Amino acid sequence: MSATATTARTKVDPAVDRPAGRLRVHAWFTPYLFLLPYLALLTTFVLVPAVFGIWVSLHDWDFMLPNKPFIGLQNYVDLFTPDSVTFPEFWNGMKATAIFTVASVPFLVLIPLGIALMLNRVFPARSLLRAMIFAPFVLGIAVVGVLFRYLLDSQFGLINWFLGLFGIPPVGWTQTQPWAWVALVGMTVWWTLGFNAVIYLAGLQGIPRDQYEAAAIDGAGSFARFINVTLPGLRNILVFIITTTVLASANMFGQAYLVTNGGPGDSTRTAIMVMTQEGLRAFKMGSATAMSYLLAICLAVVSVINFMVLREREGGK
Amino acid sequence: MTSTRVEPQPSALAGGASGSVRRRRAYRQERNGPFFWVGIVILALIFVIPLLWMFLTSFRTVEDSRRIPISLIPDQLTLRAYKLLFADEQNPVFTWALNSLMAAVGHAVLVLVVASMAAFALARMKFPGQKVIFGIIIATMFVPGFIFLMPNYLMMDRLGWLDTLIALIVPGAAGAFGVFFLRQFFLAIPRELEESARVDGANSWQIFTRIILPISKPGLVTLGVLAFLGNWNDFIWPIFVLFSPERLTLPAGLSTLQGAYNIDYPVIMAGASVAAIPVLILYVFVQRYVIEGVATSGLKG
C-alpha cells in the first residue's frame, strides 16, 4: 500500500497542486448516488419492517385470514395476563432463554479467556491449533446441531461411550433435565468458543510487552501479572465479549430446535422458538411480533444494566 | 502484512489491538511445562474428534453406527450413505448444495457491491446528512435480528419472494456490518492518492473502481468470505421462508434429513459432511482473513 502511495504522489504535478483549498471534488449528488443502493435495501428490509412490525403487533394479524382487526395493545396486554393463550408459552420460553443465558455466558466468557492465554504463548503448531479451535464456528448450527444429536445419543453416542470408560452409566442427554441444559450449553461452548477466543487474542496482543517486563522486574509472579497487567488491559474486550455473548445466548434457537426439539417437556423451548412457532408456523403474526418486541425491550434493558454495571466497575478502579 | 490490517473499531476494541506488536527481545516467555502440553493436546482432541467422527460415520453402515458398545474402528467403509443421499428424490442433497452455493455467492456479491459503494461515500466524501445517515446505519446494528423475522416474512410474501433464493440473497444485504467494516478500511487510505487522481481528471466512479477497490482487496476478501459463510450457514431464515423440498439450502435440508432418516446416522452425517466440507476447505485457505476479520471487527455475534 505504501509503495503505491509513493508512486502516485510523484505523479502529482506541482503546478496543478492546489494551494491549501479543497479540490472541486464531485457533484453534490454523487455521494447520494453511491449510497442509494444500500439505503434502498436498508429502508426496505430494516427501517420499514421495524416500523411495520409495531403496526402488525397492534392488530389481530392472522396471516391466513383476510381481516386483521386493529386491537391496540391487546397483544402486549395478553403477554402479561396469566389466563391468556399466549402467556404460559411466552413466559416458559423467556424462562428457558434466561436459564440458557445465565448458564452459558460464564463459560463463554471464562473458557475462551483461558484458551486465549494458552494460545498467546509461543509454541510450535500454534497457528494450527488456533485454526482448529476456530473451525467449528465456521460450520453453522445446522451441521453442529445434527452432529451433536448423534454424539449425545444416549445409546450410540460417542460422549456416553467415553463417559462409560470411567464407569459412568449412560446419560439421557436430550430426554432428561438438567442434562439437556448441560448438553445445550456444552455444545454451544464447543461451537462458539473460538469466536470469543480470537477476540481475546487480539486484545492480548494489544497489551504492550513492556508492561509485563516492568511487572516482572518489580518481582510480580505470573498470577500477579495476570491480575495487574492482563485483566486491566482486557477491560474493554471483556465488556464487548460479555455484551455480545449475552445477546447471542438470548438468541438461542438452532441448538434447541435441532437437538432437544424443545424437550424434555417444553423445558428447552426458548423464546425465539415460541415466537417463530406462533408467527411462522401458526401464522399469528400479531401476537408473535408483540413477543419479539417485548423480548427486544428486555434485551435492551439487560444491555443497559450490563453496560452500567461494567462501566461502574471501570470508574471505581 | 500491514496492508491487511484493519484499524480497530473504536467502539468495539478501544485500547485493544492497536499497533503492531513485535514479539521477541527482553522479557522472556515462560517455558511451557507438561501441564501446558497436556492441556493443548486435550484441547486439540476436543475440537478435532467430533468432526472426524462425523466424517467417519458417514462412511459406515447403519448397523456399524448403531453397535453397542461403539466400535471405534469401522468394520468396513462404504459409500452407501452418500449414494443413498444423492439418489433420494425426497431429499435432493445435490440441489440443496447448489441452492446454498448460489444463494451464498449471490449474497456475498451483492453485499460487496452495495456496501463498498455506501462505504466509499461515507468514508471519502463530505455531504449534508452524512452524520445522520451513518448514525442510522450504526443504530440498526444494535437491533436484534429476530424482530425483523415476522415483518420481513410478510414483506417476502408481498414481493412474491417466498420460497425463492432471492429471499435468501437480498434482505440480509441490508445489514450494517459490511458498510461499517469497509468504511474502516477506506478511511485508512491516504488522501493524496485520491487527490492526485482528481487532478488527473478522474471522476468519483473511476476513483472508486480504480483506486479504492483495488487497494482494499484484503478487506473485500474478508467481507466477502464472512458474507458467504454467514449466508451458507444461515438456518433460522431459510427454514421458514423456503418450503419446497427442491428449494431448500443445505442447513434447512439437514433438519428435514434428520426427520426423514431418524435412525440412519450415516446418512445424516453424510449430509452434514456435504454442508461442512466446502466451508472447511474455504476456511483453510482464508483462515487468516477470517480470524483477522473477527478479531478486528468481531461485531457479528
Side-chain angles (χ1 to χ4, degrees), chain A residues 6 14 22 33 35 39 51 83 88 102 119 165 182 203 211 223 231 241 245 254 260 263 269 271 280 290 294 297:
Chain A
T6 31
R22 288 168 52 194
L33 284 182
L35 277 164
L39 288 186
V51 179
D83 49 359
V102 170
L119 294 184
L165 295 181
V182 174
Q211 289 191 9
F223 183 72
L231 275 187
I241 285 200
T245 307
T260 58
R269 248 182 117 215
L280 301 172
L294 192 55
I297 292 168

Side-chain angles (χ1 to χ4, degrees), chain B:
Chain B
M1 275 276 83
T2 47
S3 62
T4 58
R5 185 135 209 122
V6 190
E7 283 302 305
Q9 290 161 18
S11 60
L13 294 169
S18 59
S20 60
V21 178
R22 292 281 152 91
R23 48 187 65 253
R24 75 175 108 120
R25 105 196 148 103
Y27 168 68
R28 204 176 299 138
Q29 279 266 348
E30 282 144 280
R31 299 205 115 247
N32 298 315
F35 282 122
F36 174 81
W37 284 109
V38 169
I40 286 290
V41 169
I42 290 175
L43 208 56
L45 291 177
I46 288 173
F47 282 89
V48 167
I49 286 176
L51 294 177
L52 283 181
W53 196 246
M54 173 175 86
F55 294 130
L56 189 64
T57 305
S58 73
F59 294 103
R60 286 179 183 239
T61 61
V62 190
E63 305 77 56
D64 199 21
S65 73
R66 297 172 65 79
R67 183 161 297 156
I68 305 174
I70 287 179
S71 53
L72 286 185
I73 316 288
D75 47 23
Q76 66 169 99
L77 292 178
T78 162
L79 287 174
R80 183 200 70 99
Y82 290 93
K83 282 183 189 151
L84 199 63
L85 204 55
F86 284 105
D88 182 350
E89 282 169 17
Q90 304 290 297
N91 300 289
V93 171
F94 188 71
T95 313
W96 295 345
L98 221 56
N99 291 343
S100 279
L101 188 68
M102 288 194 293
V105 169
H107 174 75
V109 170
L110 184 65
V111 166
L112 286 177
V113 171
V114 167
S116 65
M117 285 172 66
F120 175 63
L122 290 168
R124 312 297 300 188
M125 296 179 178
K126 277 202 168 54
F127 54 93
Q130 187 169 22
K131 281 200 176 136
V132 177
I133 292 175
F134 187 60
I136 292 173
I137 294 174
I138 292 304
T140 64
M141 268 204 297
F142 296 95
V143 182
F146 59 77
I147 75 159
F148 303 108
L149 270 178
M150 257 58 77
N152 262 335
Y153 184 93
L154 293 169
M155 198 73 91
M156 294 299 105
D157 181 49
R158 301 242 157 127
L159 292 168
W161 289 0
L162 282 178
D163 206 21
T164 69
L165 285 185
I166 306 173
L168 305 187
I169 294 173
V170 179
F177 175 77
V179 177
F180 188 58
F181 181 84
L182 288 182
R183 179 178 167 272
Q184 296 301 108
F185 231 91
F186 294 169
L187 280 175
I189 297 168
R191 194 141 277 276
E192 294 88 339
L193 268 183
E194 199 180 324
E195 278 167 6
S196 65
R198 293 261 182 219
V199 170
D200 291 346
N203 63 32
S204 297
W205 182 254
Q206 289 165 330
I207 288 172
F208 174 61
T209 53
R210 305 218 183 128
I211 295 175
I212 304 290
L213 289 185
I215 36 181
S216 305
K217 233 180 238 161
L220 296 170
V221 171
T222 307
L223 178 62
V225 169
L226 291 176
F228 179 93
L229 286 175
N231 191 277
W232 178 276
N233 287 327
D234 194 12
F235 180 62
I236 185 162
W237 181 244
I239 63 170
F240 291 115
V241 293
L242 305 173
F243 332 113
S244 320
E246 73 278 6
R247 298 273 170 80
L248 302 184
T249 57
L250 278 169
L254 272 178
S255 62
T256 323
L257 215 54
Q258 183 170 270
Y261 289 91
N262 203 1
I263 56 159
D264 195 335
Y265 281 122
V267 167
I268 299 168
M269 291 304 107
S273 303
V274 173
I277 289 168
V279 285
L280 285 178
I281 291 173
L282 179 68
Y283 172 63
V284 168
F285 284 109
V286 295
Q287 187 236 111
R288 206 161 35 85
Y289 291 126
V290 177
I291 289 186
E292 193 153 356
V294 170
T296 48
S297 49
L299 273 171
K300 244 198 155 179

Side-chain angles (χ1 to χ4, degrees), chain A residues 61-63 85 278-289, chain B residues 150:
Chain A
W61 195 296
D62 191 323
F63 184 66
V85 191
E278 176 85 0
L280 301 172
R281 289 281 186 250
F283 292 117
K284 289 181 196 140
M285 300 279 186
S287 44
T289 4
Chain B
M150 257 58 77

Side-chain angles (χ1 to χ4, degrees), chain A residues 110-125:
Chain A
L110 293 177
I111 298 176
L113 176 58
I115 288 176
L117 288 171
M118 282 172 96
L119 294 184
N120 201 38
R121 285 163 169 249
V122 181
F123 62 93

